[in-house]
Amino acid sequence: MERRAITVEGTVQGVGFRPFVYSLAFRLGLGGYVKNQAGRVFIEVEGESATLDRFLTELEASPPQLSRIETVAWERRPTAHESHFRIETSDRNASGSIFISPDVATCDECLAELLDPANRRYGYPFLNCTHCGPRLTIIQGAPYDRGRTTMATFPMCPACRQEYDDPKNRRFHAQPTACAKCGPRLSLLSADGARIETADPLASFVQALAAGKIGALKGLGGYHLVCDATSELAVTQLRRRKARDEKPFAVMVADVETAEQFCEIGALERSLLVSSRRPIVLLRKRLVPELQIAEAVAPANPYFGVMLPYTPLHHLLLRAVDGAPLVMTSGNRSDEPIAYLDDEAISRLGSIADVFLSHDRPIHVRCDDSVTRVIDGGESPIRRSRGYAPEPVRLPISCLFPILAVGGQLKGVFALGRDRQAILSHHMGDLDHWDAYRAFVRDIGLYEELFAAKPRAIVHDLHPDYASTNYARERATSDGVPLIAVQHHHAHMASCMAEHQLDEPVIGVSFDGTGFGTDGNIWGGEFLVGDYRQVRRAAHLRYVGMPGADKAIHEPWRMAVAHLRDAGCTLDCLGSRISPTALQTVDTMLKRHFNTPLTSSAGRLFDAVASMIGIRDSVTFEGQAAQQLEWLSKEAPPEAAYPFEFGTTDVQYDQSRAKPSFSVSHLVGWMSSHRVDVIDTRPLIRAVVADIANGIGASQTICLRLNLCTSVRNLGSQKT
Ligand SMILES: [Zn+2]
Ligand SMILES: [Zn+2]
């Protein structure tokens, strides 16, 4: 006989780990106990040595679906002659954290119950269990139990309580568990928020959708706007009311088979669609679809954003509309953050939606759908939020103490660094919006509580005017902790290294839209050499002016003028599309350096070419012109790529004049460089102009040749 104390670390709490350990020990006839400790599971188990070995093997071989074991350590303990196994209550006073799982899509067992007329939860839109259901979106504090979630106001009925208390039950300690008797209920509201009395709110909602109306649906992390995705009329109406000109809408379908009728789906895309994270997956449109989706869903876009149902309510909804695809887009106007509070949803979405399908389980943490795509056979997330956050990213290095990093401005996300983990928050949206900023501040507090991490340093982007930078300054002052500024592209490089578990010096190439540079210019075509600690700028794309500053981002033709003038070309290719007066104004601004900051941005280079070849002169959302160029381009053979040249001087930019308009004494990791190479973009611009003159224009050929990666690879081989 032998007794072992086993510690299991990783994603092991709130995922049904203790019941799993219990049933494993029970099956092997072992004695002892299991309990949650600060951020880990602790087991003492007693029996014959061989059986204990088997216990450990099976523990690691088949843990619960949602868990992820990082380490298992054990040591011998004196035997206590225990023959029964039990689950002990968790250590509440232990410092450290209870792991919080991301929200998880309805599991197969729950789905089967939902559709089984004999089950007591048949047709109940809020069923869940230890393996699935809401997590991050309903949690209000630590440690994670029902009293600290938005389920606190729903006392369990005896039947639910019995399941909750039974270690052999799938709902043992499933905090959000409920049934029709004791749990949340659906309600139907009119556009002004008045309750509409109906025996079946879901059926009435579906009737409205069938009649071409626009619905607002309270989901997991916020409200969605919903309509029939096959109705051109309904989708166009939604687009008009939402004031969203061209940005694509996501579509929800009942299953992969339905998605296959209008999209191309590869093996990895399929597995992402059906995964318990249930992100929106970008899928290439089928040339000859069997099911016609309204053009207005994703106008002039070769992709659809598609997701499968992830809550019981979605499953019921998709069944009620006979599996018809539904537009399921964030409940917001234009670029505002998604609405998630009931009152706010009515006031903000009342002018868009005709009818609301709501319920009385509050959403605490606003969490947008995640968006992902497959590139070169691997997953490449575009927005990592619902279903992913707050799952930690494993770091190749260890944080010496807890660190809070507050991120950029446009796609606000913060991170808590703790030990070898970076806990990345859900997506907060544009921090220029007061709502988004308020949620940002509140949720930083929530994460610090959930993960028991009190930051001892605050890290921010070098940009002096980001809302996140302001927060960092105030926070560092009030907490009396150090403030650390990191240059935008050094941060990009380090993130990329962490994602790929690198801890060695690298050459980091960052092609970006906008990042504040150490010289006060706007960077975005950067070649950095260094590691996590320090980095030097080895080369960058040649500086050109951004006439009108931010205006040049919304109007790519301004960047076309800047690049054409820089390359000594005429403005002929812009033809009559831009008024001569406007052209002249911008020309003058460039000459006089009036409101014309300098940029080395690759994004602005794409913009310039997109405008030159007539794809886009202005954009309605970030990155639109570059995206359209990408759609037209194919993998370019090396010899076809447009030329760049190396230079060590930058005519437009006089180093001696470089005086940053700010001083950041806490900028870290920056090595001054003896020489910065400049990658001359002028040969590229001239070659594009020549192609246009030869009548190639916006055909595939020109885009084929604008493959920056290929060009850089060529450049690399020259340079080597
Ligand atoms: Zn379940
Ligand atoms: Zn119940």
Side-chain angles (χ1 to χ4, degrees):
M1 293 296 277
E2 187 185 326
R3 189 176 178 93
R4 291 178 190 175
I6 304 165
T7 319
V8 189
E9 287 189 42
T11 305
V12 288
Q13 293 189 3
V15 290
F17 207 87
R18 288 174 304 155
F20 155 72
V21 171
Y22 175 87
S23 50
L24 179 61
F26 187 78
R27 187 156 52 78
L28 297 177
L30 299 170
Y33 68 91
V34 57
K35 67 177 178 182
N36 279 341
Q37 267 182 348
R40 57 193 186 185
V41 163
F42 182 79
I43 309 163
E44 281 202 24
V45 69
E46 173 166 346
E48 282 176 28
S49 300
T51 320
L52 291 180
D53 287 343
R54 203 169 135 208
F55 176 82
L56 278 167
T57 313
E58 290 196 25
L59 183 85
E60 290 193 68
S62 56
Q65 208 187 327
L66 297 175
S67 67
R68 191 180 305 154
I69 296 178
E70 278 173 7
T71 58
V72 177
W74 66 273
E75 58 188 28
R76 283 215 175 76
R77 289 283 163 89
T79 52
H81 308 290
E82 261 186 299
S83 55
H84 292 288
F85 200 87
R86 62 191 195 279
I87 296 180
E88 275 203 353
T89 48
S90 306
D91 291 351
R92 281 286 161 80
N93 53 351
S95 68
S97 65
I98 302 290
F99 175 78
I100 303 307
S101 152
D103 300 278
V104 187
T106 310
C107 72
D108 291 345
E109 285 162 298
C110 284
L111 184 58
E113 290 178 354
L114 181 71
L115 305 175
D116 173 10
N119 192 279
R120 75 184 188 90
R121 289 191 177 85
Y122 173 61
Y124 180 59
F126 303 99
L127 91 170
N128 59 73
C129 72
T130 328
H131 308 301
C132 74
R135 295 289 189 275
L136 174 68
T137 51
I138 58 164
I139 196 158
Q140 295 166 312
Y144 174 54
D145 66 26
R146 194 179 181 96
R148 270 170 289 261
T149 70
T150 61
M151 284 298 292
T153 52
F154 298 95
M156 275 181 255
C157 69
C160 285
R161 166 61 68 182
Q162 198 189 357
E163 295 167 337
Y164 181 89
D165 288 333
D166 176 7
K168 289 185 289 301
N169 194 286
R170 202 172 90 244
R171 295 195 166 87
F172 176 69
H173 283 198
Q175 306 304 345
T177 188
C179 71
K181 233 183 220 147
C182 63
R185 278 168 209 200
L186 289 177
S187 56
L188 192 73
L189 308 174
S190 65
D192 56 10
R195 211 182 166 92
I196 303 171
E197 287 313 322
T198 164
D200 190 343
L202 178 65
S204 308
F205 186 74
V206 167
Q207 263 171 21
L209 295 184
K213 302 262 200 257
I214 293 165
L217 175 75
K218 186 173 179 182
L220 207 51
Y223 277 78
H224 276 130
L225 290 161
V226 190
C227 73
D228 178 355
T230 62
S231 161
E232 204 71 60
L233 212 65
V235 182
T236 311
Q237 174 110 304
L238 172 58
R239 207 164 266 292
R240 213 187 50 240
R241 292 191 195 167
K242 211 167 132 66
R244 187 159 174 170
D245 294 338
E246 288 160 304
K247 215 169 173 180
F249 291 147
V251 176
M252 184 178 274
V253 292
D255 45 40
V256 178
E257 288 66 37
T258 311
E260 252 167 351
Q261 294 179 0
F262 57 97
C263 297
E264 312 275 353
I265 306 177
L268 180 55
E269 285 152 343
R270 174 185 294 267
S271 69
L272 289 169
L273 279 171
V274 303
S275 75
S276 63
R277 301 181 190 276
R278 295 281 157 118
I280 296 170
V281 183
L282 298 191
L283 301 171
R284 202 162 253 285
K285 288 179 179 174
R286 269 179 69 164
L287 288 178
V288 190
E290 287 162 29
L291 178 65
Q292 202 65 49
I293 300 293
E295 171 63 19
V297 167
N301 190 317
Y303 294 90
F304 281 124
V306 179
M307 62 181 150
L308 299 188
Y310 54 82
T311 69
L313 180 55
H314 291 150
H315 282 288
L316 295 172
L317 175 63
L318 267 291
R319 272 176 171 74
V321 296
D322 287 329
L326 295 175
V327 162
M328 191 74 70
T329 185
S330 306
N332 55 9
R333 243 173 327 188
S334 202
D335 290 327
E336 291 172 358
I338 184 171
Y340 74 114
L341 301 169
D342 297 329
D343 294 350
E344 168 208 50
I346 301 286
S347 70
R348 280 170 53 194
L349 305 179
S351 57
I352 305 175
D354 300 301
V355 61
F356 285 75
L357 184 60
S358 188
H359 59 75
D360 50 359
R361 184 181 73 203
I363 298 170
H364 187 68
V365 175
R366 178 204 328 252
C367 199
D368 289 271
D369 293 317
S370 294
V371 185
T372 194
R373 67 190 286 198
V374 172
I375 297 175
D376 284 343
E379 182 186 5
S380 194
I382 294 170
R383 183 166 73 202
R384 185 187 183 274
S385 198
R386 195 233 343 123
Y388 291 76
E391 191 179 286
V393 173
R394 182 114 181 122
L395 299 176
I397 49 170
S398 189
C399 303
L400 293 177
F401 43 76
I403 299 169
L404 170 68
V406 295
Q409 172 86 354
L410 216 48
K411 291 166 184 154
V413 164
F414 61 84
L416 274 177
R418 200 194 54 183
D419 304 327
R420 291 178 76 99
Q421 291 182 329
I423 299 144
L424 252 68
S425 79
H426 49 290
H427 171 87
M428 323 283 314
D430 185 349
L431 297 183
D432 263 343
H433 286 283
W434 173 240
D435 266 359
Y437 182 73
R438 213 174 39 190
F440 172 80
V441 173
R442 190 201 66 175
D443 292 345
I444 286 176
L446 178 67
Y447 273 53
E448 285 174 10
E449 184 184 339
L450 295 180
F451 296 97
K454 181 100 185 107
R456 283 172 52 198
I458 317 279
V459 183
H460 68 87
D461 191 280
L462 185 61
H463 199 298
D465 300 327
Y466 282 171
S468 49
T469 300
N470 278 321
Y471 172 84
R473 276 196 216 107
E474 285 170 18
R475 184 70 200 274
T477 311
S478 69
D479 287 16
V481 297
L483 191 61
I484 299 169
V486 177
Q487 199 280 325
H488 195 84
H489 302 102
H490 186 197
H492 274 312
M493 184 185 106
S495 309
C496 197
M497 288 168 66
E499 184 183 345
H500 295 276
Q501 302 292 312
L502 300 177
D503 186 17
E504 60 198 315
V506 301
I507 301 172
V509 182
S510 197
F511 288 163
D512 194 17
T514 301
F516 198 80
T518 57
D519 58 3
N521 292 328
I522 298 163
W523 293 9
E526 307 307 313
F527 296 71
L528 307 178
V529 178
D531 54 22
Y532 292 111
R533 278 183 194 82
Q534 47 182 358
V535 78
R536 74 182 171 87
R537 191 187 200 195
H540 63 84
L541 294 186
R542 182 181 157 87
Y543 281 131
V544 297
M546 264 176 88
D550 276 358
K551 232 178 169 169
I553 297 175
H554 304 294
E555 298 178 7
W557 67 267
R558 288 169 180 262
M559 288 314 301
V561 176
H563 269 286
L564 286 165
R565 284 309 191 207
D566 180 47
C569 300
T570 66
L571 305 181
D572 291 353
C573 62
L574 298 176
S576 53
R577 300 196 313 273
I578 313 296
S579 83
T581 335
L583 284 180
Q584 204 180 353
T585 310
V586 164
D587 226 0
T588 314
M589 288 172 83
L590 280 163
K591 271 187 205 123
R592 298 192 183 157
H593 305 286
F594 176 77
N595 191 20
T596 298
L598 291 177
T599 185
S600 56
S601 164
R604 300 291 85 78
L605 175 63
F606 286 136
D607 284 355
V609 175
S611 169
M612 283 165 63
I613 64 178
I615 292 179
R616 278 224 152 253
D617 293 318
S618 62
V619 297
T620 58
F621 60 88
E622 197 216 350
Q624 193 180 15
Q627 222 173 54
Q628 272 178 273
L629 261 185
E630 185 194 334
W631 297 338
L632 287 168
S633 74
K634 298 267 150 54
E635 186 73 27
E639 65 282 2
Y642 281 119
F644 289 94
E645 268 167 26
F646 258 115
T648 45
T649 53
D650 202 335
V651 234
Q652 284 225 350
Y653 177 56
D654 175 5
Q655 289 274 356
S656 63
R657 271 178 43 208
K659 269 199 211 93
S661 52
F662 66 101
S663 89
V664 183
S665 51
H666 52 277
L667 172 70
V668 301
W670 208 261
M671 290 188 273
S672 57
S673 157
H674 293 295
R675 195 192 69 182
V676 181
D677 280 327
V678 172
I679 294 161
D680 196 340
T681 48
R682 289 174 301 178
L684 177 149
I685 296 294
R686 290 183 198 123
V688 173
V689 168
D691 274 358
I692 297 169
N694 290 330
I696 293 175
S699 74
Q700 295 251 11
T701 325
I702 205 159
C703 298
L704 183 83
R705 294 185 59 191
L706 192 82
N707 186 322
L708 215 46
C709 292
T710 309
S711 300
V712 165
R713 233 175 277 142
N714 287 351
L715 204 63
S717 53
Q718 280 171 34
K719 183 78 173 167
T720 326

